[in-house]
Amino acid sequence: GGLDSTSVASLAARMLAPKQLTTISYVFDEIAASDERKFINLMVDKWNLNSIQIPCDDVWPFKNWQDWPHNPSYPMQDLYFPMKERAYCSATQNKIRVILTGSFGDLLYLGGNYWLADLLEDGHFREARQEFLEHAHYVGLVWLLQNGHIQPVIRNFMNATPFLRIVGRKSSPPAWLTPQSAKYLTKCSVQGSQAAERNQHLVGENVNYGMLTDVLNTSRFMVETRDPYRDRRLVEFAMSLPAYQLYYRGLYKRVLRKAMKGLLPEPVRVSLLRIDLAAFYLHGFEKENTSLIEYFQKPGAFWNQFVKKEWVVSTWKFSDKNIRANGKLLTIPRLCLAFETWFLKNQTFLG
């Protein structure tokens, strides 16, 4: 139902016609903010899809976290693996062997917050001024700073100023690291190519790791997932675009929206409604919060050697007020949880 997955489905349906394309979607009866049936049904009507819709209200994040499936190679990090397992099982039952996903589509546009820096660098000063003033008026300077739209301009200025470029910007260890683990970090300057910095999320190790972590699940169900948005040609194209082609006047995925005109149902193509799993995450967060707080406060956890317990507990407690705003911070406690459950089950092998 999202813009990325519906774009893949539209192109696949057009290529497969007159045969019918089968799609698999997650739906929610209780969590309306995460339910995409409004857009899914529009796609069904436009392309005559065989739509398999899987209810997932009962497999909220962190459910039965003590019994997460064990992979000896690395900790389990995907909170939504039960939903995926249902999709893979449904694919097997329907004799589907290859699944095209909409995964990693968002990564192509994460460099969009460099729009102001790129407008200035390309000499579009009048447009940069106009866009900046409109953003400042409608969303405010605080929002621009919090979402990283101004920092690239400051970094460009520092890199263009000889004295500031020589001084550089020294990195500091993250606040959540213990002194023991912080000392292992290499002391280095954050200077470097802005192009490399803005595209790190497209070519860095994290995205490559993310592509591999689901192989264990898919192989169990004898299905193969393929990620069109990781096609090298598409990634290189996104990296070559100025950021103001990725984000424009509050609208992300500008290129995709233009390219899919006539292929996507118009309400899907132009929608600014954000439907994601944040509400579903919050649902699981609230249901399992008591047991998780007790776990994080428990002494003797192996991760305590690397991550400050006080930081984890305070961050987790504070974040229940605004999951979306604190989503990145919540990654650290979640990884601690994944590491500990993996480590305890792996102790026999690790010695």
Side-chain angles (χ1 to χ4, degrees):
L3 189 59
D4 297 323
S5 56
T6 53
S7 296
V8 172
S10 293
L11 293 172
R14 185 177 68 170
M15 295 172 66
L16 193 62
K19 294 182 179 179
Q20 189 179 43
L21 177 70
T22 298
T23 60
I24 303 176
S25 308
Y26 311 123
V27 296
F28 302 90
D29 294 318
E30 300 174 14
I31 319 294
S34 296
D35 187 70
E36 296 180 319
R37 270 176 286 200
K38 172 184 177 181
F39 297 138
I40 294 171
N41 293 334
L42 288 173
M43 286 290 296
V44 171
D45 293 340
K46 182 173 180 63
W47 290 105
N48 187 34
L49 303 176
N50 173 31
S51 175
I52 300 173
Q53 301 181 10
I54 304 175
C56 293
D57 293 277
D58 60 322
V59 286
W60 57 82
F62 300 108
K63 183 178 183 179
N64 299 326
W65 59 268
Q66 300 92 335
D67 300 316
W68 277 347
H70 178 58
N71 182 345
S73 299
Y74 44 77
M76 200 290 297
Q77 299 186 31
D78 188 354
L79 297 176
Y80 306 108
F81 72 89
M83 297 165 49
K84 293 182 178 180
E85 286 188 338
R86 289 185 179 182
Y88 302 150
C89 181
S90 177
T92 300
Q93 292 171 352
N94 287 274
K95 299 181 180 180
I96 297 171
R97 291 293 175 263
V98 176
I99 301 176
L100 300 178
T101 80
S103 300
F104 307 106
D106 288 340
L107 297 183
L108 298 174
Y109 304 92
L110 290 183
N113 61 342
Y114 288 78
W115 60 270
L116 183 56
D118 281 5
L119 282 172
L120 292 171
E121 187 172 347
D122 290 349
H124 303 303
F125 303 115
R126 179 177 298 179
E127 186 177 358
R129 178 180 179 276
Q130 180 182 350
E131 290 297 313
F132 175 77
L133 291 176
E134 289 188 6
H135 276 78
H137 175 72
Y138 287 106
V139 298
L141 290 175
V142 174
W143 184 91
L144 288 171
L145 281 167
Q146 288 178 340
N147 290 273
H149 294 262
I150 295 179
Q151 288 84 338
V153 178
I154 298 174
R155 285 195 291 270
N156 273 0
F157 172 75
M158 294 182 68
N159 288 335
T161 306
F163 172 74
L164 295 176
R165 184 171 64 246
I166 292 172
V167 171
R169 303 178 301 281
K170 298 297 181 180
S171 60
S172 300
W176 43 269
L177 282 181
T178 62
Q180 176 185 347
S181 53
K183 69 182 182 181
Y184 293 113
L185 293 180
T186 303
K187 295 181 179 180
C188 62
S189 171
V190 189
Q191 289 186 62
S193 164
Q194 182 156 290
E197 179 182 314
R198 62 178 279 189
N199 291 316
Q200 179 63 24
H201 54 272
L202 282 175
V203 295
E205 59 185 17
N206 286 342
V207 65
N208 296 324
Y209 175 77
M211 294 179 64
L212 297 174
T213 53
D214 212 32
V215 172
L216 180 65
N217 281 335
T218 56
S219 60
R220 287 172 51 217
F221 293 95
M222 296 181 292
V223 296
E224 176 187 352
T225 56
R226 297 182 184 176
D227 306 306
Y229 289 106
R230 289 304 297 162
D231 185 286
R232 176 173 177 173
R233 295 163 296 181
L234 188 57
V235 172
E236 290 177 344
F237 174 69
M239 291 172 63
S240 71
L241 292 174
Y244 49 83
Q245 291 290 334
L246 305 177
Y247 171 90
Y248 183 71
R249 297 192 174 182
L251 188 68
Y252 278 98
K253 305 188 179 181
R254 181 188 184 193
V255 176
L256 180 62
R257 293 175 193 271
K258 285 187 173 183
M260 296 306 296
K261 187 172 184 178
L263 293 173
L264 281 177
E266 199 62 8
V268 178
R269 189 182 74 88
V270 302
S271 174
L272 298 180
L273 179 63
R274 182 169 182 175
I275 300 178
D276 56 24
L277 294 176
F280 187 50
Y281 184 100
L282 177 59
H283 180 67
F285 182 97
E286 292 174 340
K287 277 185 169 291
E288 307 296 334
N289 198 29
T290 300
S291 65
L292 289 169
I293 287 291
E294 291 177 355
Y295 163 75
F296 288 131
Q297 292 176 327
K298 184 179 179 180
F302 191 75
W303 59 265
N304 289 166
Q305 301 178 43
F306 313 102
V307 180
K308 298 175 183 176
K309 182 201 298 187
E310 298 78 10
W311 186 94
V312 168
V313 173
S314 63
T315 298
W316 192 263
K317 288 182 176 179
F318 173 76
S319 294
D320 63 355
K321 299 183 179 70
N322 192 339
I323 292 292
R324 191 183 296 279
N326 297 284
K328 291 182 179 179
L329 293 180
L330 287 177
T331 299
I332 307 303
R334 176 173 61 81
L335 293 179
C336 291
L337 184 69
F339 174 77
E340 189 74 12
T341 55
W342 171 81
F343 177 78
L344 292 176
K345 291 179 181 180
N346 244 18
Q347 271 188 324
T348 304
F349 304 100
L350 296 176

